[in-house]
Amino acid sequence: MAPGTLLVAAPGLLDPHFRRTVIYIIEHRDRGTLGVVLNRPSEVTVRDVLPSWAPLSSQPPAVFVGGPVESETALCLAAVRTGQDPSRVDGLITVRGPVALVDLDSDPAAIAPNLRGLRVFAGYSGWDAGQLAGEIARGDWIVVPAIPDDVLARHDARLWGHVLRRQGMPLSLLATYPLDLRNN
């Protein structure tokens, strides 16, 4: 699995931290995997916690809940403008293609001309070596390619179905899976 891949929670994954989530993989190495949940906006705005970065934040300007690990830690993903190389911009660390991690200690004004937008996450999702492979083999996650707009688009509960629908058959059929079978 490569950085820039999406993990889409399978319909049967009922863990409240990950139910109906879409996770963007930032790092995948022998020692483990790190990613952030793309579709869990919080009530906290970027302006509340990182005011100097707020003008660059994509809509909605919320801090997203990246996962249950280190929820007091902020991670930031950005997409650079067409023609820009994130590896050539101080304060950015390339994840895949135009998507990069942002060093939040950098000067936002220096980075701003290179960015299409950014998203701030509180916490992250992490797996130890072999743990994620086991969850995928068990059927908890569906691994699909990401597009750069996945990081920036207005995300809410509909992202899960949107990502599945664009995969084509048979995965697109999962997008019609009812939210809660017990209440139907």
Side-chain angles (χ1 to χ4, degrees), residues 72-161:
E72 300 299 315
T73 299
L75 290 174
C76 181
L77 286 175
V80 297
R81 294 182 186 281
T82 302
Q84 298 291 319
D85 180 354
S87 68
R88 296 179 179 258
V89 179
D90 287 339
L92 297 182
I93 301 164
T94 303
V95 175
R96 185 174 193 166
V99 178
L101 269 171
V102 177
D103 177 354
L104 292 170
D105 291 329
S106 300
D107 177 10
I111 295 175
N114 301 292
L115 300 184
R116 286 181 34 220
L118 60 81
R119 178 84 61 219
V120 175
F121 301 89
Y124 60 90
S125 301
W127 295 264
D128 289 330
Q131 183 182 5
L132 181 57
E135 290 180 14
I136 292 169
R138 190 172 60 222
D140 291 344
W141 299 103
I142 301 161
V143 181
V144 299
I147 58 174
D149 284 348
D150 289 330
V151 173
L152 301 180
R154 178 180 289 273
H155 293 326
D156 55 24
R158 293 176 296 209
L159 178 67
W160 184 84

Side-chain angles (χ1 to χ4, degrees), residues 31-65:
R31 66 178 183 264
T33 304
L34 178 139
V36 290
V37 176
L38 295 177
N39 57 333
R40 292 268 168 94
S42 75
E43 298 296 318
V44 178
T45 68
V46 175
R47 183 169 307 288
D48 292 338
V49 292
L50 295 166
S52 61
W53 291 97
L56 303 176
S57 181
S58 296
Q59 295 298 317
V63 172
F64 280 60
V65 178

